[in-house]
Amino acid sequence: MTAVQSRADSTITVRNPATGAVSGTVPIDDPATVAAKAAQLVSAQPEWEALGPLGRKRWLLAWQDWILDNADHITEVLISETGKSHGDASIEAVATADAIAYWASHAKEFLADRHPKAHSPLYRVKRFTTAYRPYPLVGVITPWNFPFAMPGLDVPPALAAGAAVLLKPSEVTPLSAVEFVRGWTEIGAPPVLGLTTGYGETGQALIEHADFLQFTGSTATGRKVAVACAQRLIPYGLELGGKDPAIVLADADLDRAANGIAWGGLFNSGQVCVSVERVYVEAPVYDQFVAKLAARVGEVQQGHDGDTGAMATEAQRDIVARHVDEARAAGARVVTGGSATGVGTYFAPTVIADVDSSMTCMTEETFGPTLPVIKVADENEAVRLANDSPYGLSATVWTADKRRGERLARRLEVGAVNVNDALVNVFCPGLPMGGWKESGVGYRAGGASGILKYSRQQAITSPRLPTQKSELLWYPSSKRRMAVALGAMRVFAARGRRRFGRRPSSG
């Protein structure tokens, strides 16, 4: 049963993919409605910006309190529209609260004026300032896999920067976003966070009115978003598809590697942009590792009170089934799992051994609970195969030698690498999160850069000394004044004899 059931009466009916039960409805906003919401947010934004980082901090922390106080309800809403397990769903509200605290507490520091030093003595008579002003309206389009936590990654830093935000969630899972924005409204915060729901036309309308657009979703849709933003000449950030590799070296703690890769590949039923989707294991430990991984994956329980839940859509479940079936038909060995369970959109956690690099389970984004494993001769082959992908979101390396792991990390063509761990960088806002190659453009988080991306830089110069009526290069021009100005510039810019207008000797 798909999460999106109908468009009847200009509404989206949302169903629980695990049970088929109706979870709720949301309206489909047409372009005129989106335009009206955008205009309201923009009109409220100047007062929000004028509060300054500390004034905004008060509202952000009140919002954080509301989210924590309502975490149980938020979790149930998440489960109702995604089919997640209770454990997977319960992380989202707490992780969002943590992110809000980070941006609220660091905004003053991150947004403070910078005062660059003059690059030449000639300019030391000036005071230089770089100031940061928010984009008036930030548009945020989020996917269906983390319908509360994904807005939690992108919306708080934009609000902390002083921007207004219009959020457009996936039509598959819009109910959690309703709660996300409801919390902001219920605390009485200034009306600078809005919600618009609908399909592609609604998202296109949002792009038409945003001053900055942050999109998370598929690479195919991301290309269209980039074109639409380019036509309007507005900046954007894209986090797109992934096919994250894990490299298991022969010296690794195989029990930890099996446990970590199982969690990194199956968390949220594998529906994570940074899920482990390819595993490369050095030959001496290949059989032993596959056995340990299969045993760990075979213990994973599915269901509301289990480790993982259902797939968010029937279409996604069918992609997983196709990848497994095609691998099996091409000679791979399904060690555990390998099929849909027949209940809702559940697909059994799966390990596939003896995989070939040409199989679709290795070349296409699966976004499901599968772990295909390939035997490699050594770390060089592992790195070569790991890099042989159009995607470059993140990766993991498993080894007893941390320095070796970090050295290997720098050879991988991805935006993040976790050594002897999985997914951890996602929970650390001080680190940048972004993809290389077809996995995205730009970064989210990353300390100061995570909030400055929602800001426009403004250069300000002002005199340090009492001003004169004219400057050397001002009109009316004079050969003498020009000679003095150019001579001074040469002295401080050139090297050796060239500083004085002389050519160096040719000998």
Side-chain angles (χ1 to χ4, degrees):
M1 183 66 66
T2 57
V4 179
Q5 186 67 10
S6 71
R7 298 194 190 193
D9 301 321
S10 299
T11 63
I12 298 172
T13 300
V14 182
R15 293 179 180 269
N16 186 328
T19 66
V22 173
S23 302
T25 63
V26 295
I28 300 173
D29 288 348
D30 59 22
T33 301
V34 176
K37 290 182 175 182
Q40 290 175 348
L41 291 166
V42 170
S43 68
Q45 186 271 332
E47 291 188 16
W48 175 245
E49 179 183 355
L51 288 177
L54 294 181
R56 297 191 290 270
K57 177 181 179 180
R58 180 171 69 88
W59 288 112
L60 287 164
L61 294 182
W63 188 32
Q64 180 206 41
D65 290 342
W66 185 94
I67 290 171
L68 292 174
D69 291 344
N70 290 273
D72 290 343
H73 171 68
I74 292 167
T75 297
E76 292 305 317
V77 172
L78 279 161
I79 293 170
S80 76
E81 67 176 348
T82 64
K84 291 176 185 272
S85 68
H86 188 275
D88 281 352
S90 63
I91 293 174
E92 296 200 35
V94 177
T96 297
D98 182 54
I100 292 171
Y102 177 83
W103 298 114
S105 299
H106 289 82
K108 180 181 178 182
E109 169 196 350
F110 292 161
L111 293 168
D113 289 352
R114 311 290 199 266
H115 298 288
K117 292 182 179 179
H119 74 285
S120 164
L122 288 177
Y123 293 94
R124 288 177 185 168
V125 296
K126 301 291 185 182
R127 173 182 169 85
F128 295 156
T129 301
T130 302
Y132 301 94
R133 294 283 308 281
Y135 290 101
L137 181 63
V138 171
V140 175
I141 301 177
T142 54
W144 45 258
N145 57 332
F146 288 97
F148 197 89
M150 276 295 182
L153 289 176
D154 295 321
V155 173
L159 290 173
V165 180
L166 184 53
L167 169 65
K168 193 274 178 191
S170 167
E171 63 272 15
V172 178
T173 55
L175 303 180
S176 299
V178 172
E179 299 303 312
F180 187 85
V181 175
R182 182 170 73 88
W184 184 260
T185 303
E186 286 199 355
I187 64 171
V192 289
L193 174 58
L195 177 71
T196 185
T197 52
Y199 294 89
E201 183 182 47
T202 305
Q204 179 62 45
L206 173 56
I207 295 172
E208 291 298 321
H209 298 283
D211 301 299
F212 182 102
L213 196 285
Q214 177 66 36
F215 171 84
T216 304
S218 71
T219 298
T221 304
R223 292 183 193 277
K224 297 176 182 177
V225 168
V227 170
C229 290
Q231 288 175 335
R232 290 198 57 232
L233 293 179
I234 64 168
Y236 57 87
L238 307 175
E239 190 208 287
L240 308 176
K243 193 70 180 174
D244 289 7
I247 295 176
V248 181
L249 302 179
D251 67 348
D253 179 334
L254 296 186
D255 289 316
R256 178 173 177 85
N259 290 339
I261 289 173
W263 183 73
L266 303 180
F267 175 63
N268 200 42
S269 295
Q271 299 169 117
V272 186
C273 54
V274 290
S275 286
V276 176
E277 292 212 3
R278 299 177 287 151
V279 185
Y280 301 96
V281 184
E282 284 193 304
V285 296
Y286 176 80
D287 291 334
Q288 186 181 2
F289 175 79
V290 169
K292 288 179 179 292
L293 181 63
R296 185 68 193 91
V297 170
E299 297 171 348
V300 173
Q301 299 296 310
Q302 292 182 294
H304 179 276
D305 296 319
D307 300 306
T308 64
M311 306 297 295
T313 69
E314 291 177 345
Q316 197 59 44
R317 179 202 60 197
D318 293 344
I319 290 173
V320 177
R322 176 173 63 82
H323 284 184
V324 174
D325 291 344
E326 289 174 351
R328 185 188 283 116
R333 176 167 52 96
V334 176
V335 184
T336 187
S339 62
T341 67
V343 177
T345 55
Y346 285 99
F347 194 96
T350 299
V351 174
I352 313 171
D354 305 335
V355 172
D356 183 271
S357 293
S358 65
M359 296 177 184
T360 52
C361 66
M362 298 296 286
T363 60
E364 299 177 8
E365 185 176 26
T366 304
F367 221 61
T370 63
L371 287 164
V373 189
I374 284 184
K375 182 191 298 184
V376 296
D378 53 29
E379 68 176 52
N380 291 325
E381 184 182 14
V383 170
R384 178 177 63 80
L385 293 175
N387 288 338
D388 185 21
S389 172
Y391 299 109
L393 200 52
S394 69
T396 65
V397 176
W398 305 83
T399 174
D401 186 339
K402 290 184 290 185
R403 289 186 178 179
R404 183 187 184 193
E406 292 180 5
R407 186 172 65 250
L408 219 61
R410 295 174 187 272
R411 297 174 61 190
L412 294 172
E413 297 170 358
V414 296
V417 181
N418 294 300
V419 178
N420 293 334
D421 210 332
L423 313 185
V424 65
N425 63 293
V426 177
F427 301 98
C428 301
L431 288 170
M433 180 181 177
W436 295 9
K437 299 187 280 190
E438 293 186 13
S439 285
V441 175
Y443 298 82
R444 60 159 55 94
S449 62
I451 198 168
L452 295 181
K453 68 181 276 186
Y454 297 116
S455 305
R456 299 161 294 179
Q457 298 184 56
Q458 185 177 48
I460 301 172
T461 72
S462 59
R464 290 184 181 275
L465 303 176
T467 57
Q468 306 299 314
K469 290 184 178 181
S470 186
E471 298 285 341
L472 282 176
L473 295 178
W474 289 8
Y475 301 135
S477 59
S478 130
K479 289 185 178 180
R480 184 184 66 81
R481 288 164 58 192
M482 180 64 74
V484 171
L486 293 178
M489 292 173 70
R490 261 194 107 104
V491 165
F492 293 117
R495 294 179 298 138
R497 295 168 61 88
R498 294 182 180 85
R499 296 171 63 192
F500 306 102
R502 302 172 188 166
R503 295 185 179 182
S505 58
S506 58

